Amino acid sequence: MELPRAWQRPDPLRGLDRISWSEVYDGRGGAGRVPRLLRSLMDPSADERQNALSQLAGRILTEDTVSEASFCTVPFLVELGASYKVAGDVRDRVIFLLAAMALAGKGFTEDGRRTHRRWNALGRELPRTAPDWLTQTRHAVAQGAPKIFEALASERVACLVALACAVPEKLPPFVGGLMNDMVELPGEEMLADAAEIAVALLKDSPELLGVDLPKVLGEGLVRPVHQPREVAAALMGYRFALISAYGDEGAW
């Protein structure tokens, strides 16, 4: 019997040693530990895998900032997320990590400084000085995992996940306050409509309303100047999905 295509994929870490990781910058210096952490994601021990994933995320997505190391790890993360030879707990978190890297708001420069995503009055993203790891990492995710990128680009994702969060028996505690806040978003008709429906669903649980809001719109709770609505929607959808799956402390 022929194996499913997902089982026919080659070693997800093939080519890992071809990269001179000690010369790759990860925001702290050389990324020499990255190969070991990537290999540990396939360790038989669940604790070892989760510990490696947390350390890896801290190096390639440091405080919402990507780097050269982030760009270099994307092909390996894509394969880890697609291979059924990899434990399910790793595949799920790797997909979230790829989404987070695609949505990163900052990028390290060669001298360790950070550049930020900025938009002009027309909502067009402003260029950054090369090497622009923000753009390169986002493009790598779009090329390697297009379905993730397509989902993030759809504002409907945020709305659907928002509504899905509103109906389970055990509601994430942040949803109430965020729903109320979304109702007031200017110019966000679809998100506001989703929020109104979610608030209506929540009326039977008034104790869940008025809780503190998580940071879902970018830096802080206020959307950066001229940030397009689709970027705000992608950030909302990502945060909703992550917190729903892993809890408010389940980031990295």
Side-chain angles (χ1 to χ4, degrees), residues 60-139:
I60 64 176
L61 188 63
T62 307
E63 298 176 352
D64 193 36
T65 309
V66 292
S67 63
E68 181 183 11
S70 311
F71 169 75
C72 291
T73 57
V74 167
F76 305 108
L77 294 175
V78 167
E79 289 298 326
L80 286 165
S83 175
Y84 282 97
K85 299 175 184 178
V86 178
D89 57 351
V90 170
R91 294 201 311 272
D92 291 345
R93 294 308 295 264
V94 161
I95 291 171
F96 272 110
L97 181 54
L98 284 167
M101 291 163 66
L103 289 169
K106 297 182 283 288
F108 279 114
T109 62
E110 288 183 318
D111 59 3
R113 298 182 181 180
R114 303 187 194 212
T115 56
H116 296 247
R117 293 189 75 179
R118 306 289 186 196
W119 294 267
N120 63 19
L122 298 177
R124 294 172 180 166
E125 191 165 354
L126 298 174
R128 289 171 290 273
T129 303
D132 179 4
W133 297 118
L134 257 172
T135 299
Q136 292 195 56
T137 300
R138 195 160 66 243
H139 180 71

Side-chain angles (χ1 to χ4, degrees), residues 149-163:
F149 204 82
E150 289 170 15
L152 289 172
S154 173
E155 66 181 24
R156 293 181 178 275
V157 171
C159 300
L160 293 174
V161 177
L163 294 175

Side-chain angles (χ1 to χ4, degrees), residues 114-232:
R114 303 187 194 212
T115 56
H116 296 247
R117 293 189 75 179
R118 306 289 186 196
W119 294 267
N120 63 19
L122 298 177
R124 294 172 180 166
E125 191 165 354
L126 298 174
R128 289 171 290 273
T129 303
D132 179 4
W133 297 118
L134 257 172
T135 299
Q136 292 195 56
T137 300
R138 195 160 66 243
H139 180 71
V141 174
Q143 292 295 308
K147 293 300 182 183
I148 293 176
F149 204 82
E150 289 170 15
L152 289 172
S154 173
E155 66 181 24
R156 293 181 178 275
V157 171
C159 300
L160 293 174
V161 177
L163 294 175
C165 287
V167 295
E169 293 181 5
K170 185 177 181 182
L171 189 71
F174 72 94
V175 170
L178 183 56
M179 288 295 99
N180 279 327
D181 191 59
M182 284 171 63
V183 172
E184 306 300 327
L185 282 176
E188 307 290 347
E189 291 81 6
M190 184 178 287
L191 292 176
D193 289 345
E196 284 193 47
I197 297 171
V199 169
L201 292 170
L202 286 172
K203 284 184 177 179
D204 293 333
S205 304
E207 71 278 7
L208 296 173
L209 300 176
V211 296
D212 293 336
L213 305 179
K215 295 182 179 181
V216 297
L217 294 180
E219 297 178 20
L221 296 176
V222 179
R223 184 167 61 178
V225 177
H226 305 311
Q227 183 187 74
R229 60 179 296 175
E230 59 268 19
V231 176

